[in-house]
Amino acid sequence: MIYPVVLYGSPMLRKVSKEIDKNHKDLDKLIKDMFETMEVSEGVGLAAPQIGKSLRLFVIDTTPMAEDDPSLEGFRKAFINPTIIEESGTPWKFVEGCLSLPEIREEVERPSVVKIQYYDENFDFHEETYDGIKARVIQHEYDHLEGRLLIDNVSALRRKLLKGKLSNIIKGKFDVGYKTKIIK
Ligand code: CO
């Protein structure tokens, strides 16, 4: 099932998401639906709040970015109840987009290395360290679980310049190839 993507302007994107119970009903189906929704929306990451579920879960597939970096081929994972336990490395800038922020692309600075603990779709525990684009996508998706958006990480001046685009999102004035909605 493909979900509409929940957009900026929806209060739920600003909430801290809740932990998922091991026996969560139809978790496999939810994860499958999130991968599907991400793929048709041409995203490389999608967090549960973006489909209207305030749960600590995100999915990633960086394969569409593998043309520039072959190591991104097949990096396809679900992260359940993740915790970033350390961010390190030299901060670097990268232009990010977000399915919940149509037509916005902004340079965001983040630390280059991330150590994360999470459960996979079989509820097996992992602790892993990532850098580069993989770390970047993880940090972006993790922010969604904490109620943060990429626009929180840009300068006050950039945010001011984004005001028009943000109000256009709320007014529905944008053009994307996937279904969207605002949940009031
Ligand atoms: Co996003």
Side-chain angles (χ1 to χ4, degrees):
M1 176 191 163
I2 291 155
Y3 285 88
V5 174
V6 174
L7 295 183
Y8 173 83
S10 306
M12 69 165 309
L13 290 184
R14 293 316 206 162
K15 287 204 304 196
V16 176
S17 296
K18 296 211 164 55
E19 294 242 320
I20 298 180
D21 186 84
K22 196 175 176 172
N23 302 312
H24 188 90
K25 197 171 171 282
D26 296 329
L27 183 58
D28 287 351
K29 162 100 170 101
L30 175 61
I31 291 170
K32 189 175 162 277
D33 289 346
M34 283 180 63
F35 274 114
E36 252 179 64
T37 302
M38 177 176 72
E39 275 151 24
V40 301
S41 314
E42 297 183 353
V44 294
L46 183 73
Q50 294 181 279
I51 58 154
K53 308 213 180 266
S54 196
L55 296 170
R56 299 189 76 79
L57 162 66
F58 59 80
V59 297
I60 285 178
D61 188 349
T62 58
T63 304
M65 297 172 87
E67 220 170 277
D68 302 324
D69 176 355
S71 81
L72 299 175
E73 175 85 41
F75 182 65
R76 181 183 164 91
K77 274 173 181 292
F79 294 77
I80 300 168
N81 296 339
T83 309
I84 289 185
I85 53 172
E86 196 186 338
E87 287 184 297
S88 58
T90 312
W92 65 301
K93 288 179 178 165
F94 186 74
V95 175
E96 296 183 18
C98 179
L99 295 174
S100 296
L101 293 163
E103 295 181 2
I104 288 182
R105 297 184 60 76
E106 282 294 314
E107 199 170 61
V108 178
E109 186 172 85
R110 300 184 191 266
S112 55
V113 181
V114 65
K115 191 190 266 189
I116 188 167
Q117 297 180 334
Y118 67 97
Y119 294 84
D120 63 22
E121 54 271 56
N122 303 313
F123 254 90
D124 289 327
F125 178 81
H126 300 269
E127 181 180 302
E128 288 160 2
T129 301
Y130 293 103
D131 62 7
I133 300 287
K134 292 174 187 171
R136 173 66 59 152
V137 180
I138 288 169
Q139 288 160 322
H140 177 113
E141 298 313 323
Y142 188 81
D143 272 358
H144 279 296
L145 308 187
E146 297 295 317
R148 294 190 294 256
L149 297 170
L150 76 89
I151 48 171
D152 305 338
N153 293 338
V154 303
S155 68
L157 173 66
R158 287 300 314 164
R159 238 191 332 271
K160 221 174 194 173
L161 294 170
L162 283 172
K163 267 196 169 163
K165 280 189 178 176
L166 291 172
S167 76
N168 281 344
I169 294 174
I170 292 169
K171 290 179 200 149
K173 286 193 210 160
F174 56 84
D175 185 19
V176 289
Y178 50 91
K179 275 197 204 143
T180 60
K181 70 170 174 183
I182 290 182
I183 302 177
K184 281 293 169 199

